Amino acid sequence: MKLTPIIGLEVHVELKTKSKMFCGCSADYFGKHPNTHTCPVCLGLPGALPVPNKRAIEWCIMIGLALNCDIPLFSKFDRKNYFYPDLPKGYQISQYDQPFAINGSLKLKVKNEKLKKEYEKTIRIRRVHQEEDTGKLIHQAVNGEKVSLIDFNRSGVPLVEIVTEPDFESAEEVIEYLKKLQQIVRYLGVSDANMERGEMRLEPNISLTPRISNFQFPISNENLPKYKVEVKNINSFKFVEKAINYEIIRQTEILEKGETPLQETRGFVEVSNSTVSQRTKEEASDYRYFPEPDIPPFRWIKSQISNLKSQMPELPDKKLKRFGKEYSLSPSDAEILTRQREVADYFEKAVNDGKKFKVSPKQISNYIIHKKPNMKEVLPASLVQSIVQSTRVADVGEDKLRKVIEKVVKANPKAAQDFKKGKENAIMYLVGQVMREFPQRIDAEKIKASLLAKLK
Ligand code: ADP
Ligand code: MG
Ligand code: ZN
């Protein structure tokens, strides 16, 4: 029996707003002394009322727009009820049936290393919704006694959840998607999506299905396997790959015995690169979702959404295409330069500064890609100067240079005489005259050396 993996992803991204989702506490909690970024709202004290963070909601919608989603003109928050010590209210404010963004898509270019082929694939985005983070449990020993401590600094930090349809069939595709999603939220400037800091958390849902003859993605709902396994809270691309590949093997063994894997939530164990059962999966009804009564629903007007759209920066795919066209860069160079928005911006500043020195975009691209300048220290204009100074005569050709020097010396007999009589300055005048004969900047030292040889 040939089986195909079917994978859907849930990704949480922490927004880097100044304040938390529903209170004025600073959301910049990482590494801060426990329970110093708290107030009655994010501690869930009775009577405290949430006030939604406008910036966070705008950013959530921007993520939706960047993922080609529709933005429904009506939306609301809901309460997701469950008990856990890191959730002091006993519920999380989230969105259930009317999220801020739905029905998007993201186009991927996937490289299959084994088959040495590259293909395109579109992943459907089911929804992008806004919610809040929980506190953090810390299990440790105090005076020899094992205790659990709670830090509420993270409680109420804005989280955006991005849910795909089950459109992936390999860890490779998943990782390509995750890289692209991370790149997009960084471009938007809404999250650093740093996984070691828990700013981006990954949950793959995995199942396997027999590959019938006319099988193809996207898979219709009725053809989906009747079970799925969710692996919770993974914090690196490498681990997500390991978790998926482990699940594929584990579930294959069960299916080949003629049994069906249990629908459950599992955790990834880093030391053994495996997953272990945590709990059999809860149903939506277990959460007793209902509309958040303390926050009125949202009714957008179209101009608010188009206004947000107009504030968005140029996104990676578009920039990549433009760089290729506008600066005649190879696709792979354009890809490297647009990986990070800071690098792309730096490149374009340098291109602009380089115009008056006849330094080409290609020269700047080569310099950035191969010499990897420290962009925090070297200004784009200084980089242009380095290129001007290092441009070799070899690019012109020794013969051509010799001919030009002869011509310039002939045309400027007085300067040549002056130099021979000991006027050092005269040589620099001749160097300048030689330079003017070339469309591109060439190394002054090299010209000077050739001139000296000629005039000796
Ligand atoms: P739940 O209600 O249990 O959260 P959803 O249907 O909302 O489940 O889907 C959650 C995630 O699981 C989505 O990313 C979805 O694409 C994915 N998913 C749904 N069915 C499957 C399946 N059979 N195999 C793998 N992933 C699935
Ligand atoms: Mg879920
Ligand atoms: Zn607070």
Side-chain angles (χ1 to χ4, degrees):
M1 183 171 47
K2 183 104 177 83
L3 296 166
T4 297
I6 298 181
I7 306 162
L9 277 184
E10 295 164 277
V11 176
H12 284 92
V13 170
E14 243 178 35
L15 298 182
K16 59 174 181 186
T17 48
K18 286 207 176 70
S19 55
K20 292 188 181 180
M21 190 60 222
F22 299 112
C23 62
C25 292
S26 162
D28 183 17
Y29 70 88
F30 193 85
K32 297 285 154 56
H33 195 71
N35 297 309
T36 53
H37 289 214
T38 56
C39 74
V41 173
C42 55
L43 288 172
L45 300 186
L49 289 171
V51 178
N53 182 329
K54 179 164 176 258
R55 171 68 47 89
I57 293 171
E58 288 173 350
W59 285 359
C60 178
I61 292 174
M62 276 190 189
I63 294 174
L65 289 169
L67 297 172
N68 307 303
C69 287
D70 298 329
I71 310 299
L73 295 181
F74 181 87
S75 189
K76 67 177 169 65
F77 281 112
D78 298 281
R79 288 188 182 180
K80 181 180 181 179
N81 298 276
Y82 65 93
F83 173 77
Y84 208 64
D86 63 11
L87 187 69
K89 297 195 293 292
Y91 60 85
Q92 177 192 36
I93 304 180
S94 180
Q95 297 194 283
Y96 182 49
D97 53 345
Q98 311 245 238
F100 285 131
I102 55 171
N103 297 339
S105 65
L106 189 63
K107 216 185 256 166
L108 304 182
K109 256 205 199 96
V110 191
K111 269 202 195 90
N112 185 318
E113 297 290 350
K114 259 188 244 137
L115 302 177
K116 295 236 176 302
K117 64 167 189 185
E118 203 177 83
Y119 59 97
E120 283 203 350
K121 179 156 180 175
T122 299
I123 302 301
R124 294 169 299 162
I125 307 292
R126 181 181 292 178
R127 56 189 281 147
V128 176
H129 74 250
Q130 181 73 61
E131 54 187 40
E132 56 174 337
D133 214 341
T134 61
K136 205 169 185 162
L137 282 172
I138 302 155
H139 307 285
Q140 66 178 52
V142 174
N143 300 330
E145 213 181 320
K146 278 192 183 165
V147 295
S148 294
L149 306 168
I150 313 181
D151 176 7
F152 287 110
N153 284 350
R154 196 180 68 181
S155 170
V157 166
L159 269 190
V160 168
E161 180 170 347
I162 301 130
V163 184
T164 75
E165 294 295 339
D167 287 349
F168 303 92
E169 55 187 307
S170 67
E172 261 165 357
E173 290 181 358
V174 167
I175 287 171
E176 196 50 42
Y177 166 84
L178 292 171
K179 280 188 186 157
K180 213 157 174 187
L181 181 62
Q182 185 183 47
Q183 185 190 33
I184 288 172
V185 297
R186 286 178 175 170
Y187 255 69
L188 290 172
V190 303
S191 174
D192 292 333
N194 186 332
M195 285 187 287
E196 298 92 78
R197 287 177 164 230
E199 292 161 355
M200 183 170 173
R201 293 169 240 158
L202 324 169
E203 288 162 20
N205 294 263
I206 306 139
S207 66
L208 295 175
T209 193
R211 186 181 273 274
I212 45 174
S213 58
N214 59 352
F215 181 88
Q216 70 177 53
F217 280 87
I219 295 161
S220 62
N221 276 341
E222 60 268 25
N223 286 331
L224 280 178
K226 297 292 170 271
Y227 79 95
K228 68 180 193 293
V229 173
E230 176 171 2
V231 187
K232 275 286 186 200
N233 267 329
I234 300 180
N235 63 0
S236 89
F237 293 161
K238 211 168 60 218
F239 292 154
V240 93
E241 177 177 356
K242 292 194 162 140
I244 289 170
N245 290 333
Y246 179 84
E247 275 304 306
I248 290 174
I249 294 170
R250 189 185 70 84
Q251 293 178 27
T252 301
E253 282 170 6
I254 296 170
L255 287 160
E256 281 179 345
K257 277 192 281 188
E259 295 164 14
T260 306
L262 215 57
Q263 166 126 340
E264 61 184 348
T265 300
R266 297 177 72 90
F268 182 68
V269 187
E270 297 175 13
V271 285
S272 55
N273 286 327
S274 62
T275 66
V276 290
S277 180
Q278 286 183 334
R279 54 196 144 101
T280 47
K281 176 88 184 160
E282 55 289 298
E283 301 282 320
S285 59
D286 295 333
Y287 291 121
R288 299 188 297 109
Y289 275 104
F290 62 83
E292 166 59 56
D294 292 333
I295 304 173
F298 300 84
R299 287 171 217 277
W300 309 119
I301 47 175
K302 283 195 180 130
S303 63
Q304 287 176 301
I305 307 302
S306 51
N307 189 22
L308 278 182
K309 204 168 197 170
S310 70
Q311 290 170 38
M312 286 165 56
E314 183 180 40
L315 292 170
D317 276 355
K318 207 159 164 210
K319 207 185 273 296
L320 175 79
K321 254 194 214 132
R322 181 169 66 80
F323 272 28
K325 244 200 218 144
E326 193 170 330
Y327 304 119
S328 309
L329 301 176
S330 71
S332 72
D333 285 356
E335 194 274 324
I336 295 172
L337 292 175
T338 55
R339 246 177 236 164
Q340 290 167 275
R341 188 175 151 195
E342 295 72 25
V343 177
D345 289 349
Y346 183 92
F347 166 77
E348 289 203 284
K349 276 203 201 87
V351 167
N352 207 31
D353 291 338
K355 274 182 197 152
K356 55 180 174 290
F357 297 101
K358 293 175 178 158
V359 172
S360 71
K362 179 76 194 152
Q363 284 174 292
I364 290 167
S365 157
N366 282 343
Y367 195 97
I368 293 176
I369 291 172
H370 301 296
K371 299 226 160 110
K372 302 187 177 65
N374 181 341
M375 293 181 215
K376 292 211 178 74
E377 280 166 16
V378 184
L379 291 174
S382 323
L383 177 131
V384 166
Q385 285 314 309
S386 305
I387 294 175
V388 168
Q389 278 153 26
S390 68
T391 306
R392 294 221 202 85
V393 177
D395 296 344
V396 177
E398 295 281 348
D399 269 359
K400 175 91 206 283
L401 178 63
R402 209 175 309 122
K403 273 189 197 130
V404 170
I405 284 177
E406 254 163 46
K407 181 177 139 194
V408 167
V409 169
K410 226 180 244 165
N412 297 278
K414 181 155 186 320
Q417 278 314 113
D418 286 352
F419 174 72
K420 282 183 185 164
K421 278 189 219 148
K423 274 196 188 169
E424 286 288 326
N425 283 349
I427 192 99
M428 285 326 287
Y429 171 77
L430 291 171
V431 169
Q433 295 303 306
V434 173
M435 273 188 175
R436 288 176 64 175
E437 296 288 316
F438 292 99
Q440 70 272 55
R441 284 294 292 240
I442 53 176
D443 185 7
E445 284 306 310
K446 181 79 195 219
I447 298 175
K448 194 173 160 190
S450 303
L451 263 169
L452 287 175
K454 164 90 187 153
L455 294 175
K456 245 194 335 216

